[in-house]
Amino acid sequence: MSVILLEHPRPKNSQRFEDVVNAPLSACLFTGYISSVLQKNKIEAEIINANLSDWTIEQTVEDLASRCFSLLCVHVIYLWERTQDVFDMLSIIKEKDAKIHVNLYGYYPAFAYRDILRHVPYIDSITIGEPEFTTLDLARSVLSGKYFSGQNIPGLASRDIGGKVTFCPRPSIQNLDLLPFPDRYESDLYRKKGIVTYIQGSRGCYGQCTFCYLNSFYGQIHQWRGRSAENIFAELCMLHDKYDIQYFYFSDANFFGPGREGKKRAIALAELIVSSNRNIRFGYECRANDVDEGTLSRLVMAGLTHVFLGLESGDKASLRRFKKHITPDENKRAIQLLRKYGIEPTFGFIMFEPNATLKSIRNNFEFLKEMEIMTTPAVTAHLLHHRQILFQGTRDYQSAIRATEFNDTLFNYEAMYEIHDPKIEKLSGIISGMCRNALLLLPETFNCVANTHNTSFLKDLNNNLIIQFEDILSCFEKRQEHFLPTEEGSEIRG
């Protein structure tokens, strides 16, 4: 095998519980798309999904050491403080065979590429932006023996002979229908582990939220590109007929394209599904302003059952700072309309952000209560504690690094910050500890047989979380800080 596409192990980090931030990274289907493009162009490649197989770093190194290949392309995920483990693994692989070309792709390395290439000599190149055709050009060059340091491959960052980092941009793919369907490797294992089948119907977003890096990754501004309804439907039919897959989830950052044309495309897909008489169900992610009754009713008829709604806040000032161009009332209407059609959405929500105030926290909390979103302790804990994460590629990251020099994460990918109001920074720490302790009390799996005890315990735990948040926030509002816990992470009783 000449080319290996690696999904590396993803060791858990007990100190972090913001996994929702990394969800798009694991669902972007880049590896499957690269594999299909290579296969279409007669280049033999194998996907090794160490994460899916639950391998350790050591097991991954051992497996790769037994193989013969010239190009190793690694989809690198940012693992907070555990990210260094991935680089240590790649160092060992390179030591065993210095002739292997090690290439990285994905959101994290695309933004941190300059620092990685400057400080990590065993990484040979990094793909910036969409990886499919850049990887194809790289594979052709490496396998032909004609690759040289600093070669001018569009979309590839590398070093020239003198060690200087070079990069030649590649335009984004405008017609996504030209891509072959992604390689559905190990589909049986995905099903056995209960992992949903992802579909990517579009790339980019027409929004301009300050906390999002998506359009920066694709090298474009506020541009959404969608596959045609017919092309998506053809893939759905193939997966349904070949693998008997009946539920799909769209990994798109925004299922809808902009304006009327975006709605027309969604309706066209719904009508294709309905007319096929296939028993298909699906979910997607969208903005609140994209939830309208005419489109929603058709999508529900076609099998829509799940919606992840990017609310972000119930506070007007915060939404303005995020440049969401949405109001709390629009968020409320979207939730109510989805519930009218039997869909209980899940939510993207940021309780604490760099400019948070006691008023914004109170508005967020009252919004969550009014909309009856805090229904289980797992959901409630994440909603109440969630602090905005600042990654490279976002406008908020740029603002943060201009305001502070405190940034000690690996290759400066994540900007560490303190909330501007010291009281809110302290409140965030207390709430984070409280919610972390609550999550530690949750059973690993919910036992339906013993549901009487579990249901009562979970209900009490959820109520306690809400009550304690209210009490702590009220103390801050009344400036009665002498009533507050002296250490982060007050005890939770369930």
Side-chain angles (χ1 to χ4, degrees):
M1 188 60 60
S2 298
V3 180
I4 297 291
L5 306 176
L6 175 65
E7 292 283 348
H8 63 72
R10 298 174 193 169
K12 300 297 182 183
N13 187 333
S14 60
Q15 299 305 309
R16 298 277 196 156
F17 52 118
E18 299 98 342
D19 285 346
V20 67
V21 177
N22 270 334
L25 304 180
S26 59
C28 61
L29 299 177
F30 283 150
T31 299
Y33 272 113
I34 294 172
S35 176
S36 291
V37 167
L38 293 179
Q39 291 176 36
K40 184 177 180 180
N41 287 273
K42 312 302 182 185
I43 294 177
E44 191 177 3
E46 180 178 358
I47 298 173
I48 297 178
N49 196 327
N51 176 56
L52 183 66
S53 300
D54 297 319
W55 288 358
T56 63
I57 294 289
E58 293 73 21
Q59 287 174 306
T60 306
V61 170
E62 182 180 356
D63 180 85
L64 290 174
S66 67
R67 300 171 182 268
C68 181
F69 53 93
S70 302
L71 175 60
L72 175 64
C73 299
V74 189
H75 180 205
V76 179
I77 302 292
Y78 182 62
L79 298 174
W80 317 106
E81 291 81 5
R82 300 296 303 273
T83 309
Q84 184 61 51
D85 295 352
V86 178
F87 285 93
D88 292 343
M89 175 191 72
L90 297 176
S91 175
I92 295 171
I93 293 169
K94 189 73 169 184
E95 285 178 6
K96 291 180 179 295
D97 189 349
K99 297 188 298 297
I100 295 172
H101 184 105
V102 178
N103 165 266
L104 311 183
Y105 64 94
Y107 298 104
Y108 164 53
F111 288 116
Y113 79 93
R114 291 190 182 277
D115 284 333
I116 294 174
L117 289 174
R118 284 169 180 164
H119 299 105
V120 187
Y122 48 86
I123 303 301
D124 297 294
S125 65
I126 297 176
T127 299
I128 313 299
E130 291 170 310
E132 291 88 358
F133 294 109
T134 300
T135 306
L136 174 62
D137 289 347
L138 175 63
R140 283 171 170 165
S141 182
V142 170
L143 299 181
S144 68
K146 296 180 180 179
Y147 180 84
F148 59 88
S149 183
Q151 185 174 352
N152 192 23
I153 295 177
L156 195 72
S158 60
R159 305 178 199 86
D160 62 20
I161 296 176
K164 180 181 177 181
V165 176
T166 65
F167 168 59
C168 176
R170 177 186 292 267
S172 56
I173 304 168
Q174 293 307 300
N175 186 357
L176 296 178
D177 285 6
L178 297 179
L179 284 171
F181 298 155
D183 183 355
R184 297 293 176 173
Y185 57 94
E186 298 183 318
S187 58
D188 290 341
L189 184 54
Y190 274 95
R191 177 176 295 187
K192 182 178 180 181
K193 299 187 76 167
I195 300 175
V196 69
T197 298
Y198 288 102
I199 296 285
Q200 187 178 67
S202 65
R203 292 180 178 178
C205 182
Y206 69 81
Q208 48 186 304
C209 303
T210 61
F211 53 79
C212 181
Y213 51 68
L214 199 65
N215 287 333
S216 297
F217 173 79
Y218 289 118
Q220 57 197 27
I221 301 176
H222 318 323
Q223 184 178 350
W224 178 95
R225 293 161 294 144
R227 295 165 59 190
S228 67
E230 292 77 14
N231 186 255
I232 296 171
F233 179 67
E235 185 180 6
L236 292 176
C237 290
M238 182 275 291
L239 293 170
H240 182 266
D241 297 343
K242 184 176 180 179
Y243 300 107
D244 193 30
I245 297 172
Q246 298 180 353
Y247 179 78
F248 305 90
Y249 192 86
F250 285 86
S251 63
D252 312 16
N254 190 0
F255 177 78
F256 292 94
R260 184 177 299 176
E261 290 302 312
K263 301 289 174 44
K264 285 175 62 178
R265 169 183 170 275
I267 292 171
L269 176 60
E271 291 176 347
L272 286 170
I273 295 172
V274 170
S275 63
S276 73
N277 290 319
R278 282 181 167 83
N279 183 23
I280 287 177
R281 293 171 295 111
F282 60 94
Y284 59 66
E285 305 183 5
C286 70
R287 293 164 53 93
N289 60 286
D290 286 318
V291 180
D292 74 278
E293 188 154 17
T295 308
L296 180 62
S297 62
R298 288 176 170 88
L299 289 166
V300 169
M301 188 180 302
L304 175 65
T305 56
H306 295 87
V307 173
F308 180 93
L309 203 56
L311 300 176
E312 316 315 342
S313 181
D315 175 67
K316 287 183 180 179
S318 294
L319 289 171
R320 282 197 299 269
R321 283 192 291 269
F322 293 149
K323 296 192 182 302
K324 283 290 293 184
H325 300 294
I326 288 176
T327 66
D329 285 342
E330 287 178 287
N331 280 337
K332 292 177 184 179
R333 284 195 291 270
I335 295 170
Q336 292 163 349
L337 188 54
L338 287 167
R339 286 173 173 168
K340 175 181 175 180
Y341 280 86
I343 296 175
E344 182 58 39
T346 51
F347 305 99
F349 201 81
I350 301 172
M351 178 63 76
F352 295 94
E353 41 110 349
N355 294 290
T357 63
L358 282 174
K359 182 179 179 181
S360 71
I361 301 303
R362 170 58 69 181
N363 287 342
N364 279 338
F365 184 55
E366 295 302 322
F367 177 91
L368 295 175
K369 288 195 297 182
E370 178 185 351
M371 301 313 298
E372 299 180 339
I373 291 173
M374 298 180 288
T375 54
T376 67
V379 170
T380 301
H382 281 88
L383 289 170
L384 292 180
H385 99 275
H386 191 70
R387 181 179 174 118
Q388 184 181 355
I389 308 299
L390 305 182
F391 286 153
Q392 279 192 38
T394 67
R395 280 184 282 177
D396 285 341
Y397 175 94
Q398 294 301 323
S399 299
I401 61 173
R402 283 195 295 267
T404 179
E405 295 181 359
F406 180 63
N407 188 342
D408 59 356
T409 60
L410 191 64
F411 305 121
N412 296 324
Y413 178 66
E414 179 189 0
M416 310 303 293
Y417 68 93
E418 290 192 356
I419 296 172
H420 296 162
D421 186 336
K423 296 190 298 297
I424 307 303
E425 178 66 31
K426 184 176 182 180
L427 174 62
S428 173
I430 293 171
I431 297 302
S432 179
M434 179 188 80
C435 292
R436 180 178 286 107
N437 287 345
L439 290 172
L440 291 174
L441 293 173
L442 296 179
E444 291 188 11
T445 57
F446 182 77
N447 185 353
C448 294
V449 176
N451 61 358
T452 302
H453 168 74
N454 282 334
T455 300
S456 175
F457 170 78
L458 294 176
K459 183 178 180 180
D460 290 345
L461 181 60
N462 191 62
N463 289 337
N464 283 343
L465 270 171
I466 297 171
I467 291 170
Q468 291 199 33
F469 186 97
E470 174 78 70
D471 290 346
I472 294 169
L473 178 58
S474 296
C475 284
F476 272 86
E477 291 171 327
K478 296 174 183 177
R479 298 181 180 274
Q480 295 177 345
E481 296 192 14
H482 57 284
F483 290 144
L484 296 176
T486 57
E487 296 181 0
E488 295 183 5
S490 55
E491 181 181 357
I492 302 293
R493 299 175 181 85

